Amino acid sequence: MTIELNIVERWRDFPILNQQVNGHPLVYLDSAASSQKPRCVIDAVADYYREDNANIHRGVHQLSQRATDAYEGAREKVRGFVNAAVVKEIVFVRGATEAINLVAQSFVRPQLSAGDTVLVSQLEHHANIVPWQMVCEQTGATLQVIPMTQSGELDLSGIDELLTGSAKILAIGHVSNALGTVNPIKGLIAKAHDKGIPVLIDGAQAVPHMAVDVQDLDCDFYVFSGHKMFAPTGIGALYGKRSILEQMPPWQGGGDMILSVSFEHTQYNDLPYKFEAGTPNIAGTIGLGMAIDYMQEVGIDNIAAHEHNLLVAATERLEVMEGVNIIGTAAEKASVLSFMIEGVHPHDVGTIFDQQGVAIRTGHHCAQPVMQFYEIPATARASFAFYNKLSDVDALVASIEKVQEMFA
Ligand code: 7TS
């Protein structure tokens, strides 16, 4: 109960939520696609442009020093947020997608040849499939897939055969964006490490909802996007173990990633700058730092507990609705409820929801292999953040009833 009291008014920190859509109060149930931003994050970005804007790491002047301090301060916040051992292990990138491409091209590609495998799962977002397919095409290696079960969990019955010496990386999501399944990554990481296989965790759908400790997980890489955790778009982070990042060649070349350049020889910069070519998203990085401060103030455990209540409440309501099928019924889930309404295409569901002011996502959620598994083209997906209220679950149910009325 104290959790609910602490957190229930937090939606007021998000100015965008206080509006009407199509004549109804906005109910935002699409945070898995992108979260909304609290006032403090919006202000941090605006204040940076108003007061401190300058390029970083290059000026002796006041503004550049302030911008550099704010940018590097945010890196320390990200380090603390995922409990990395040292700040050098945090590389700023555009988002989860760019981080995975970086690891695929810089770390994995040089090790791959025909006969090798890259291991992903059937639950992955396209961002954790396509970069690996590309690197396989470039090297002649093969993509292998951990299958899934009807409930939307990983089918680990054949895992020992997949984790063989030919696997050069296991790349797996922490939480599935299409179904909300929380994968048992800690055990998988340990199993892969027993065979000497490094592991990348796609944490895009995990960090907004639960505490993550990369040292405890012992993953080699952990990637996420700022915009799903209340920060701006165009900024995210790659965590990598220092010993591994140090051995990896740069991925993109340009300014800031070098110590010295001549036509005969270029000496690369130290970590993490080696991987940050060009002027980065300074404002976005500062916004990310503020989003972390904000989440820590709200309390990640409070966030997880409140969202769990919302998910349980919504699941219990939808489970007993005639003609409504929940897609993805894993024992461990976070913040995502995918469903189908019998006789209605999910896109029509989304449109009717919008007319009620309720924003959900419909489609394949950039996880087409999950849709292929269930032999469906799409689902309707409600996804929660801690700024959602129990009354948003009522709005979800009322919108489903409206759809059913219209298609009766
Ligand atoms: N990994 C997962 C698990 C995701 O859910 C997403 C985006 C990405 C990677 C890619 O993140 P990006 O910030 O680099 O684009 N997922 C979704 C979604 O579920 N709806 O829209 C985007």
Side-chain angles (χ1 to χ4, degrees), residues 26-31 33 337 339 341 345-354 357-363 365 379-384 392 395-396 399-400 403:
L26 169 64
V27 173
Y28 189 75
L29 294 175
D30 195 20
S31 296
L337 192 56
F339 60 94
I341 303 179
H345 193 282
H347 288 157
D348 294 329
V349 174
T351 306
I352 297 165
F353 268 57
D354 183 53
V358 180
I360 56 166
R361 183 165 173 197
T362 59
H365 315 298
T379 73
R381 180 188 71 181
S383 54
F384 299 100
D392 295 348
L396 168 67
S399 294
I400 295 176
V403 172

PDB file of all heavy atoms in Angstrom, residues 26-31 33 337 339 341 345-354 357-363 365 379-384 392 395-396 399-400 403:
ATOM      1  N   LEU A  26      -6.042  11.437 -22.128  1.00  0.00           N
ATOM      2  CA  LEU A  26      -5.062  10.505 -22.705  1.00  0.00           C
ATOM      3  C   LEU A  26      -4.730   9.385 -21.715  1.00  0.00           C
ATOM      4  O   LEU A  26      -4.415   9.643 -20.547  1.00  0.00           O
ATOM      5  CB  LEU A  26      -3.768  11.253 -23.060  1.00  0.00           C
ATOM      6  CG  LEU A  26      -2.555  10.391 -23.429  1.00  0.00           C
ATOM      7  CD1 LEU A  26      -2.798   9.577 -24.706  1.00  0.00           C
ATOM      8  CD2 LEU A  26      -1.304  11.258 -23.604  1.00  0.00           C
ATOM      9  N   VAL A  27      -4.788   8.149 -22.207  1.00  0.00           N
ATOM     10  CA  VAL A  27      -4.296   6.991 -21.443  1.00  0.00           C
ATOM     11  C   VAL A  27      -3.156   6.411 -22.269  1.00  0.00           C
ATOM     12  O   VAL A  27      -3.385   5.860 -23.352  1.00  0.00           O
ATOM     13  CB  VAL A  27      -5.417   5.953 -21.225  1.00  0.00           C
ATOM     14  CG1 VAL A  27      -4.853   4.692 -20.584  1.00  0.00           C
ATOM     15  CG2 VAL A  27      -6.512   6.553 -20.351  1.00  0.00           C
ATOM     16  N   TYR A  28      -1.936   6.560 -21.785  1.00  0.00           N
ATOM     17  CA  TYR A  28      -0.773   6.178 -22.591  1.00  0.00           C
ATOM     18  C   TYR A  28      -0.309   4.786 -22.189  1.00  0.00           C
ATOM     19  O   TYR A  28       0.254   4.590 -21.114  1.00  0.00           O
ATOM     20  CB  TYR A  28       0.355   7.206 -22.407  1.00  0.00           C
ATOM     21  CG  TYR A  28       1.498   6.972 -23.373  1.00  0.00           C
ATOM     22  CD1 TYR A  28       1.374   7.321 -24.722  1.00  0.00           C
ATOM     23  CD2 TYR A  28       2.691   6.388 -22.956  1.00  0.00           C
ATOM     24  CE1 TYR A  28       2.404   7.105 -25.629  1.00  0.00           C
ATOM     25  CE2 TYR A  28       3.724   6.154 -23.856  1.00  0.00           C
ATOM     26  CZ  TYR A  28       3.573   6.515 -25.184  1.00  0.00           C
ATOM     27  OH  TYR A  28       4.587   6.294 -26.079  1.00  0.00           O
ATOM     28  N   LEU A  29      -0.574   3.825 -23.069  1.00  0.00           N
ATOM     29  CA  LEU A  29      -0.200   2.424 -22.801  1.00  0.00           C
ATOM     30  C   LEU A  29       0.748   1.937 -23.899  1.00  0.00           C
ATOM     31  O   LEU A  29       0.598   0.833 -24.416  1.00  0.00           O
ATOM     32  CB  LEU A  29      -1.460   1.552 -22.723  1.00  0.00           C
ATOM     33  CG  LEU A  29      -2.399   1.853 -21.548  1.00  0.00           C
ATOM     34  CD1 LEU A  29      -3.675   1.011 -21.635  1.00  0.00           C
ATOM     35  CD2 LEU A  29      -1.689   1.597 -20.209  1.00  0.00           C
ATOM     36  N   ASP A  30       1.711   2.787 -24.259  1.00  0.00           N
ATOM     37  CA  ASP A  30       2.671   2.415 -25.303  1.00  0.00           C
ATOM     38  C   ASP A  30       4.100   2.758 -24.885  1.00  0.00           C
ATOM     39  O   ASP A  30       4.924   3.153 -25.692  1.00  0.00           O
ATOM     40  CB  ASP A  30       2.307   3.128 -26.620  1.00  0.00           C
ATOM     41  CG  ASP A  30       3.027   2.511 -27.817  1.00  0.00           C
ATOM     42  OD1 ASP A  30       3.480   1.348 -27.712  1.00  0.00           O
ATOM     43  OD2 ASP A  30       3.152   3.194 -28.852  1.00  0.00           O
ATOM     44  N   SER A  31       4.393   2.541 -23.615  1.00  0.00           N
ATOM     45  CA  SER A  31       5.725   2.911 -23.121  1.00  0.00           C
ATOM     46  C   SER A  31       6.810   1.954 -23.585  1.00  0.00           C
ATOM     47  O   SER A  31       7.984   2.318 -23.585  1.00  0.00           O
ATOM     48  CB  SER A  31       5.703   2.981 -21.591  1.00  0.00           C
ATOM     49  OG  SER A  31       4.830   4.022 -21.193  1.00  0.00           O
ATOM     50  N   ALA A  33       7.200   1.105 -26.601  1.00  0.00           N
ATOM     51  CA  ALA A  33       7.711   1.713 -27.839  1.00  0.00           C
ATOM     52  C   ALA A  33       8.570   2.916 -27.492  1.00  0.00           C
ATOM     53  O   ALA A  33       9.701   3.047 -27.965  1.00  0.00           O
ATOM     54  CB  ALA A  33       6.562   2.119 -28.747  1.00  0.00           C
ATOM     55  N   LEU A 337       1.464  -6.449 -22.057  1.00  0.00           N
ATOM     56  CA  LEU A 337       0.315  -7.337 -22.204  1.00  0.00           C
ATOM     57  C   LEU A 337      -0.115  -7.308 -23.668  1.00  0.00           C
ATOM     58  O   LEU A 337      -0.716  -6.342 -24.132  1.00  0.00           O
ATOM     59  CB  LEU A 337      -0.818  -6.849 -21.284  1.00  0.00           C
ATOM     60  CG  LEU A 337      -1.987  -7.787 -21.080  1.00  0.00           C
ATOM     61  CD1 LEU A 337      -1.550  -9.143 -20.554  1.00  0.00           C
ATOM     62  CD2 LEU A 337      -2.989  -7.166 -20.107  1.00  0.00           C
ATOM     63  N   PHE A 339      -2.373  -8.921 -26.716  1.00  0.00           N
ATOM     64  CA  PHE A 339      -3.647  -9.655 -26.769  1.00  0.00           C
ATOM     65  C   PHE A 339      -4.272  -9.558 -28.155  1.00  0.00           C
ATOM     66  O   PHE A 339      -3.868  -8.736 -28.978  1.00  0.00           O
ATOM     67  CB  PHE A 339      -4.626  -9.124 -25.702  1.00  0.00           C
ATOM     68  CG  PHE A 339      -4.975  -7.662 -25.854  1.00  0.00           C
ATOM     69  CD1 PHE A 339      -6.101  -7.256 -26.559  1.00  0.00           C
ATOM     70  CD2 PHE A 339      -4.166  -6.686 -25.304  1.00  0.00           C
ATOM     71  CE1 PHE A 339      -6.425  -5.913 -26.710  1.00  0.00           C
ATOM     72  CE2 PHE A 339      -4.467  -5.333 -25.441  1.00  0.00           C
ATOM     73  CZ  PHE A 339      -5.600  -4.953 -26.142  1.00  0.00           C
ATOM     74  N   ILE A 341      -8.291  -9.737 -29.988  1.00  0.00           N
ATOM     75  CA  ILE A 341      -9.746  -9.781 -29.793  1.00  0.00           C
ATOM     76  C   ILE A 341     -10.305 -10.579 -30.959  1.00  0.00           C
ATOM     77  O   ILE A 341     -10.068 -10.234 -32.122  1.00  0.00           O
ATOM     78  CB  ILE A 341     -10.348  -8.363 -29.758  1.00  0.00           C
ATOM     79  CG1 ILE A 341      -9.674  -7.534 -28.651  1.00  0.00           C
ATOM     80  CG2 ILE A 341     -11.862  -8.433 -29.547  1.00  0.00           C
ATOM     81  CD1 ILE A 341     -10.178  -6.095 -28.541  1.00  0.00           C
ATOM     82  N   HIS A 345      -9.147  -7.395 -36.478  1.00  0.00           N
ATOM     83  CA  HIS A 345      -7.716  -7.247 -36.745  1.00  0.00           C
ATOM     84  C   HIS A 345      -7.117  -6.261 -35.735  1.00  0.00           C
ATOM     85  O   HIS A 345      -7.726  -5.223 -35.432  1.00  0.00           O
ATOM     86  CB  HIS A 345      -7.485  -6.724 -38.174  1.00  0.00           C
ATOM     87  CG  HIS A 345      -6.051  -6.852 -38.585  1.00  0.00           C
ATOM     88  ND1 HIS A 345      -5.075  -5.970 -38.148  1.00  0.00           N
ATOM     89  CD2 HIS A 345      -5.417  -7.774 -39.342  1.00  0.00           C
ATOM     90  CE1 HIS A 345      -3.902  -6.355 -38.637  1.00  0.00           C
ATOM     91  NE2 HIS A 345      -4.086  -7.449 -39.367  1.00  0.00           N
ATOM     92  N   PRO A 346      -5.930  -6.585 -35.214  1.00  0.00           N
ATOM     93  CA  PRO A 346      -5.315  -5.693 -34.220  1.00  0.00           C
ATOM     94  C   PRO A 346      -5.232  -4.226 -34.671  1.00  0.00           C
ATOM     95  O   PRO A 346      -5.340  -3.319 -33.844  1.00  0.00           O
ATOM     96  CB  PRO A 346      -3.922  -6.296 -34.021  1.00  0.00           C
ATOM     97  CG  PRO A 346      -4.107  -7.746 -34.314  1.00  0.00           C
ATOM     98  CD  PRO A 346      -5.139  -7.814 -35.412  1.00  0.00           C
ATOM     99  N   HIS A 347      -5.069  -3.972 -35.953  1.00  0.00           N
ATOM    100  CA  HIS A 347      -4.978  -2.570 -36.396  1.00  0.00           C
ATOM    101  C   HIS A 347      -6.305  -1.843 -36.176  1.00  0.00           C
ATOM    102  O   HIS A 347      -6.314  -0.660 -35.798  1.00  0.00           O
ATOM    103  CB  HIS A 347      -4.539  -2.490 -37.856  1.00  0.00           C
ATOM    104  CG  HIS A 347      -3.088  -2.857 -38.024  1.00  0.00           C
ATOM    105  ND1 HIS A 347      -2.556  -3.307 -39.200  1.00  0.00           N
ATOM    106  CD2 HIS A 347      -2.063  -2.851 -37.141  1.00  0.00           C
ATOM    107  CE1 HIS A 347      -1.276  -3.578 -39.032  1.00  0.00           C
ATOM    108  NE2 HIS A 347      -0.951  -3.313 -37.795  1.00  0.00           N
ATOM    109  N   ASP A 348      -7.413  -2.558 -36.365  1.00  0.00           N
ATOM    110  CA  ASP A 348      -8.719  -1.945 -36.076  1.00  0.00           C
ATOM    111  C   ASP A 348      -8.856  -1.713 -34.573  1.00  0.00           C
ATOM    112  O   ASP A 348      -9.411  -0.705 -34.139  1.00  0.00           O
ATOM    113  CB  ASP A 348      -9.854  -2.847 -36.589  1.00  0.00           C
ATOM    114  CG  ASP A 348      -9.851  -2.941 -38.120  1.00  0.00           C
ATOM    115  OD1 ASP A 348      -9.452  -1.951 -38.757  1.00  0.00           O
ATOM    116  OD2 ASP A 348     -10.223  -4.000 -38.660  1.00  0.00           O
ATOM    117  N   VAL A 349      -8.338  -2.652 -33.801  1.00  0.00           N
ATOM    118  CA  VAL A 349      -8.356  -2.486 -32.336  1.00  0.00           C
ATOM    119  C   VAL A 349      -7.633  -1.191 -31.966  1.00  0.00           C
ATOM    120  O   VAL A 349      -8.165  -0.357 -31.209  1.00  0.00           O
ATOM    121  CB  VAL A 349      -7.677  -3.694 -31.636  1.00  0.00           C
ATOM    122  CG1 VAL A 349      -7.559  -3.448 -30.136  1.00  0.00           C
ATOM    123  CG2 VAL A 349      -8.443  -4.984 -31.920  1.00  0.00           C
ATOM    124  N   GLY A 350      -6.465  -0.989 -32.547  1.00  0.00           N
ATOM    125  CA  GLY A 350      -5.664   0.205 -32.231  1.00  0.00           C
ATOM    126  C   GLY A 350      -6.384   1.488 -32.589  1.00  0.00           C
ATOM    127  O   GLY A 350      -6.342   2.473 -31.834  1.00  0.00           O
ATOM    128  N   THR A 351      -7.063   1.481 -33.735  1.00  0.00           N
ATOM    129  CA  THR A 351      -7.761   2.685 -34.189  1.00  0.00           C
ATOM    130  C   THR A 351      -8.932   3.010 -33.265  1.00  0.00           C
ATOM    131  O   THR A 351      -9.134   4.169 -32.882  1.00  0.00           O
ATOM    132  CB  THR A 351      -8.276   2.470 -35.636  1.00  0.00           C
ATOM    133  OG1 THR A 351      -7.157   2.076 -36.429  1.00  0.00           O
ATOM    134  CG2 THR A 351      -8.900   3.719 -36.210  1.00  0.00           C
ATOM    135  N   ILE A 352      -9.673   1.990 -32.866  1.00  0.00           N
ATOM    136  CA  ILE A 352     -10.827   2.229 -31.980  1.00  0.00           C
ATOM    137  C   ILE A 352     -10.343   2.673 -30.594  1.00  0.00           C
ATOM    138  O   ILE A 352     -10.918   3.579 -29.983  1.00  0.00           O
ATOM    139  CB  ILE A 352     -11.731   0.973 -31.907  1.00  0.00           C
ATOM    140  CG1 ILE A 352     -12.299   0.688 -33.303  1.00  0.00           C
ATOM    141  CG2 ILE A 352     -12.848   1.156 -30.885  1.00  0.00           C
ATOM    142  CD1 ILE A 352     -12.908  -0.692 -33.469  1.00  0.00           C
ATOM    143  N   PHE A 353      -9.248   2.085 -30.129  1.00  0.00           N
ATOM    144  CA  PHE A 353      -8.650   2.525 -28.855  1.00  0.00           C
ATOM    145  C   PHE A 353      -8.294   4.016 -28.932  1.00  0.00           C
ATOM    146  O   PHE A 353      -8.550   4.779 -28.011  1.00  0.00           O
ATOM    147  CB  PHE A 353      -7.379   1.711 -28.549  1.00  0.00           C
ATOM    148  CG  PHE A 353      -7.620   0.480 -27.722  1.00  0.00           C
ATOM    149  CD1 PHE A 353      -8.512  -0.504 -28.128  1.00  0.00           C
ATOM    150  CD2 PHE A 353      -6.927   0.292 -26.522  1.00  0.00           C
ATOM    151  CE1 PHE A 353      -8.714  -1.648 -27.365  1.00  0.00           C
ATOM    152  CE2 PHE A 353      -7.124  -0.836 -25.749  1.00  0.00           C
ATOM    153  CZ  PHE A 353      -8.013  -1.811 -26.171  1.00  0.00           C
ATOM    154  N   ASP A 354      -7.696   4.409 -30.055  1.00  0.00           N
ATOM    155  CA  ASP A 354      -7.273   5.803 -30.202  1.00  0.00           C
ATOM    156  C   ASP A 354      -8.472   6.738 -30.123  1.00  0.00           C
ATOM    157  O   ASP A 354      -8.383   7.829 -29.546  1.00  0.00           O
ATOM    158  CB  ASP A 354      -6.520   5.978 -31.528  1.00  0.00           C
ATOM    159  CG  ASP A 354      -5.999   7.393 -31.693  1.00  0.00           C
ATOM    160  OD1 ASP A 354      -5.300   7.878 -30.773  1.00  0.00           O
ATOM    161  OD2 ASP A 354      -6.296   8.033 -32.726  1.00  0.00           O
ATOM    162  N   GLY A 357      -9.039   7.692 -26.782  1.00  0.00           N
ATOM    163  CA  GLY A 357      -7.927   8.369 -26.108  1.00  0.00           C
ATOM    164  C   GLY A 357      -6.907   7.410 -25.522  1.00  0.00           C
ATOM    165  O   GLY A 357      -6.051   7.808 -24.731  1.00  0.00           O
ATOM    166  N   VAL A 358      -7.006   6.123 -25.904  1.00  0.00           N
ATOM    167  CA  VAL A 358      -6.110   5.112 -25.328  1.00  0.00           C
ATOM    168  C   VAL A 358      -5.049   4.730 -26.366  1.00  0.00           C
ATOM    169  O   VAL A 358      -5.381   4.217 -27.438  1.00  0.00           O
ATOM    170  CB  VAL A 358      -6.897   3.858 -24.879  1.00  0.00           C
ATOM    171  CG1 VAL A 358      -5.958   2.814 -24.292  1.00  0.00           C
ATOM    172  CG2 VAL A 358      -7.967   4.245 -23.865  1.00  0.00           C
ATOM    173  N   ALA A 359      -3.796   4.993 -26.052  1.00  0.00           N
ATOM    174  CA  ALA A 359      -2.696   4.732 -26.990  1.00  0.00           C
ATOM    175  C   ALA A 359      -2.083   3.372 -26.700  1.00  0.00           C
ATOM    176  O   ALA A 359      -1.541   3.142 -25.611  1.00  0.00           O
ATOM    177  CB  ALA A 359      -1.626   5.817 -26.866  1.00  0.00           C
ATOM    178  N   ILE A 360      -2.217   2.454 -27.659  1.00  0.00           N
ATOM    179  CA  ILE A 360      -1.527   1.162 -27.561  1.00  0.00           C
ATOM    180  C   ILE A 360      -0.766   0.961 -28.866  1.00  0.00           C
ATOM    181  O   ILE A 360      -0.960   1.708 -29.819  1.00  0.00           O
ATOM    182  CB  ILE A 360      -2.502  -0.031 -27.357  1.00  0.00           C
ATOM    183  CG1 ILE A 360      -3.540  -0.077 -28.490  1.00  0.00           C
ATOM    184  CG2 ILE A 360      -3.159   0.026 -26.002  1.00  0.00           C
ATOM    185  CD1 ILE A 360      -4.319  -1.378 -28.552  1.00  0.00           C
ATOM    186  N   ARG A 361       0.074  -0.047 -28.920  1.00  0.00           N
ATOM    187  CA  ARG A 361       0.724  -0.355 -30.193  1.00  0.00           C
ATOM    188  C   ARG A 361       0.082  -1.612 -30.774  1.00  0.00           C
ATOM    189  O   ARG A 361      -0.198  -2.568 -30.035  1.00  0.00           O
ATOM    190  CB  ARG A 361       2.229  -0.575 -30.019  1.00  0.00           C
ATOM    191  CG  ARG A 361       2.874  -0.820 -31.383  1.00  0.00           C
ATOM    192  CD  ARG A 361       4.372  -0.716 -31.444  1.00  0.00           C
ATOM    193  NE  ARG A 361       4.788  -1.142 -32.791  1.00  0.00           N
ATOM    194  CZ  ARG A 361       6.015  -1.495 -33.129  1.00  0.00           C
ATOM    195  NH1 ARG A 361       6.983  -1.461 -32.232  1.00  0.00           N
ATOM    196  NH2 ARG A 361       6.283  -1.863 -34.357  1.00  0.00           N
ATOM    197  N   THR A 362      -0.110  -1.581 -32.079  1.00  0.00           N
ATOM    198  CA  THR A 362      -0.568  -2.785 -32.762  1.00  0.00           C
ATOM    199  C   THR A 362       0.398  -3.073 -33.891  1.00  0.00           C
ATOM    200  O   THR A 362       0.980  -2.162 -34.463  1.00  0.00           O
ATOM    201  CB  THR A 362      -1.986  -2.589 -33.339  1.00  0.00           C
ATOM    202  OG1 THR A 362      -1.957  -1.486 -34.251  1.00  0.00           O
ATOM    203  CG2 THR A 362      -2.989  -2.325 -32.246  1.00  0.00           C
ATOM    204  N   GLY A 363       0.613  -4.362 -34.172  1.00  0.00           N
ATOM    205  CA  GLY A 363       1.531  -4.712 -35.255  1.00  0.00           C
ATOM    206  C   GLY A 363       2.381  -5.890 -34.833  1.00  0.00           C
ATOM    207  O   GLY A 363       2.020  -6.641 -33.922  1.00  0.00           O
ATOM    208  N   HIS A 365       5.477  -5.512 -33.745  1.00  0.00           N
ATOM    209  CA  HIS A 365       6.361  -5.043 -32.676  1.00  0.00           C
ATOM    210  C   HIS A 365       7.832  -5.271 -33.003  1.00  0.00           C
ATOM    211  O   HIS A 365       8.663  -5.442 -32.099  1.00  0.00           O
ATOM    212  CB  HIS A 365       6.000  -5.681 -31.324  1.00  0.00           C
ATOM    213  CG  HIS A 365       4.530  -5.678 -31.055  1.00  0.00           C
ATOM    214  ND1 HIS A 365       3.792  -4.517 -30.942  1.00  0.00           N
ATOM    215  CD2 HIS A 365       3.636  -6.691 -30.950  1.00  0.00           C
ATOM    216  CE1 HIS A 365       2.520  -4.817 -30.756  1.00  0.00           C
ATOM    217  NE2 HIS A 365       2.402  -6.134 -30.762  1.00  0.00           N
ATOM    218  N   THR A 379      -0.277  -8.358 -32.980  1.00  0.00           N
ATOM    219  CA  THR A 379      -1.082  -8.347 -31.748  1.00  0.00           C
ATOM    220  C   THR A 379      -1.396  -6.895 -31.400  1.00  0.00           C
ATOM    221  O   THR A 379      -0.811  -5.970 -31.961  1.00  0.00           O
ATOM    222  CB  THR A 379      -0.352  -8.965 -30.529  1.00  0.00           C
ATOM    223  OG1 THR A 379       0.663  -8.053 -30.074  1.00  0.00           O
ATOM    224  CG2 THR A 379       0.247 -10.317 -30.825  1.00  0.00           C
ATOM    225  N   ALA A 380      -2.335  -6.717 -30.482  1.00  0.00           N
ATOM    226  CA  ALA A 380      -2.494  -5.428 -29.813  1.00  0.00           C
ATOM    227  C   ALA A 380      -1.658  -5.523 -28.538  1.00  0.00           C
ATOM    228  O   ALA A 380      -1.656  -6.560 -27.880  1.00  0.00           O
ATOM    229  CB  ALA A 380      -3.959  -5.177 -29.489  1.00  0.00           C
ATOM    230  N   ARG A 381      -0.929  -4.454 -28.235  1.00  0.00           N
ATOM    231  CA  ARG A 381      -0.039  -4.523 -27.069  1.00  0.00           C
ATOM    232  C   ARG A 381      -0.250  -3.308 -26.174  1.00  0.00           C
ATOM    233  O   ARG A 381      -0.062  -2.175 -26.604  1.00  0.00           O
ATOM    234  CB  ARG A 381       1.426  -4.557 -27.525  1.00  0.00           C
ATOM    235  CG  ARG A 381       2.407  -4.632 -26.366  1.00  0.00           C
ATOM    236  CD  ARG A 381       3.857  -4.476 -26.827  1.00  0.00           C
ATOM    237  NE  ARG A 381       4.150  -3.123 -27.260  1.00  0.00           N
ATOM    238  CZ  ARG A 381       5.331  -2.730 -27.726  1.00  0.00           C
ATOM    239  NH1 ARG A 381       6.318  -3.590 -27.837  1.00  0.00           N
ATOM    240  NH2 ARG A 381       5.524  -1.480 -28.085  1.00  0.00           N
ATOM    241  N   ALA A 382      -0.633  -3.583 -24.936  1.00  0.00           N
ATOM    242  CA  ALA A 382      -0.654  -2.529 -23.920  1.00  0.00           C
ATOM    243  C   ALA A 382       0.632  -2.672 -23.123  1.00  0.00           C
ATOM    244  O   ALA A 382       0.994  -3.778 -22.721  1.00  0.00           O
ATOM    245  CB  ALA A 382      -1.859  -2.691 -23.009  1.00  0.00           C
ATOM    246  N   SER A 383       1.347  -1.573 -22.933  1.00  0.00           N
ATOM    247  CA  SER A 383       2.562  -1.650 -22.112  1.00  0.00           C
ATOM    248  C   SER A 383       2.539  -0.529 -21.078  1.00  0.00           C
ATOM    249  O   SER A 383       2.109   0.585 -21.354  1.00  0.00           O
ATOM    250  CB  SER A 383       3.812  -1.590 -22.986  1.00  0.00           C
ATOM    251  OG  SER A 383       3.802  -0.452 -23.823  1.00  0.00           O
ATOM    252  N   PHE A 384       2.998  -0.880 -19.882  1.00  0.00           N
ATOM    253  CA  PHE A 384       2.866   0.003 -18.728  1.00  0.00           C
ATOM    254  C   PHE A 384       4.189   0.637 -18.325  1.00  0.00           C
ATOM    255  O   PHE A 384       5.257   0.054 -18.512  1.00  0.00           O
ATOM    256  CB  PHE A 384       2.351  -0.785 -17.514  1.00  0.00           C
ATOM    257  CG  PHE A 384       1.000  -1.404 -17.742  1.00  0.00           C
ATOM    258  CD1 PHE A 384       0.881  -2.752 -18.066  1.00  0.00           C
ATOM    259  CD2 PHE A 384      -0.150  -0.632 -17.651  1.00  0.00           C
ATOM    260  CE1 PHE A 384      -0.361  -3.324 -18.284  1.00  0.00           C
ATOM    261  CE2 PHE A 384      -1.403  -1.201 -17.875  1.00  0.00           C
ATOM    262  CZ  PHE A 384      -1.509  -2.543 -18.191  1.00  0.00           C
ATOM    263  N   ASP A 392      -6.127   3.326 -15.580  1.00  0.00           N
ATOM    264  CA  ASP A 392      -5.738   3.075 -16.982  1.00  0.00           C
ATOM    265  C   ASP A 392      -6.105   1.635 -17.381  1.00  0.00           C
ATOM    266  O   ASP A 392      -6.393   1.356 -18.546  1.00  0.00           O
ATOM    267  CB  ASP A 392      -4.233   3.300 -17.196  1.00  0.00           C
ATOM    268  CG  ASP A 392      -3.829   4.756 -16.978  1.00  0.00           C
ATOM    269  OD1 ASP A 392      -4.734   5.610 -16.895  1.00  0.00           O
ATOM    270  OD2 ASP A 392      -2.618   5.028 -16.897  1.00  0.00           O
ATOM    271  N   ALA A 395      -9.617   1.740 -18.324  1.00  0.00           N
ATOM    272  CA  ALA A 395      -9.761   2.304 -19.681  1.00  0.00           C
ATOM    273  C   ALA A 395      -9.426   1.252 -20.731  1.00  0.00           C
ATOM    274  O   ALA A 395     -10.077   1.182 -21.781  1.00  0.00           O
ATOM    275  CB  ALA A 395      -8.854   3.524 -19.836  1.00  0.00           C
ATOM    276  N   LEU A 396      -8.429   0.428 -20.429  1.00  0.00           N
ATOM    277  CA  LEU A 396      -8.062  -0.667 -21.349  1.00  0.00           C
ATOM    278  C   LEU A 396      -9.251  -1.625 -21.519  1.00  0.00           C
ATOM    279  O   LEU A 396      -9.630  -1.970 -22.646  1.00  0.00           O
ATOM    280  CB  LEU A 396      -6.832  -1.399 -20.787  1.00  0.00           C
ATOM    281  CG  LEU A 396      -6.426  -2.727 -21.407  1.00  0.00           C
ATOM    282  CD1 LEU A 396      -5.930  -2.531 -22.835  1.00  0.00           C
ATOM    283  CD2 LEU A 396      -5.316  -3.400 -20.572  1.00  0.00           C
ATOM    284  N   SER A 399     -12.131  -0.034 -23.429  1.00  0.00           N
ATOM    285  CA  SER A 399     -11.871   0.072 -24.869  1.00  0.00           C
ATOM    286  C   SER A 399     -12.060  -1.282 -25.548  1.00  0.00           C
ATOM    287  O   SER A 399     -12.552  -1.334 -26.677  1.00  0.00           O
ATOM    288  CB  SER A 399     -10.463   0.613 -25.120  1.00  0.00           C
ATOM    289  OG  SER A 399     -10.367   1.932 -24.656  1.00  0.00           O
ATOM    290  N   ILE A 400     -11.655  -2.342 -24.870  1.00  0.00           N
ATOM    291  CA  ILE A 400     -11.882  -3.681 -25.448  1.00  0.00           C
ATOM    292  C   ILE A 400     -13.386  -3.921 -25.596  1.00  0.00           C
ATOM    293  O   ILE A 400     -13.865  -4.401 -26.632  1.00  0.00           O
ATOM    294  CB  ILE A 400     -11.229  -4.782 -24.581  1.00  0.00           C
ATOM    295  CG1 ILE A 400      -9.703  -4.636 -24.584  1.00  0.00           C
ATOM    296  CG2 ILE A 400     -11.633  -6.182 -25.083  1.00  0.00           C
ATOM    297  CD1 ILE A 400      -8.966  -5.611 -23.689  1.00  0.00           C
ATOM    298  N   VAL A 403     -14.662  -2.111 -28.585  1.00  0.00           N
ATOM    299  CA  VAL A 403     -14.324  -2.817 -29.829  1.00  0.00           C
ATOM    300  C   VAL A 403     -15.312  -3.960 -30.045  1.00  0.00           C
ATOM    301  O   VAL A 403     -15.849  -4.134 -31.146  1.00  0.00           O
ATOM    302  CB  VAL A 403     -12.877  -3.370 -29.775  1.00  0.00           C
ATOM    303  CG1 VAL A 403     -12.592  -4.267 -30.976  1.00  0.00           C
ATOM    304  CG2 VAL A 403     -11.856  -2.243 -29.692  1.00  0.00           C
TER     305      VAL A 403
END
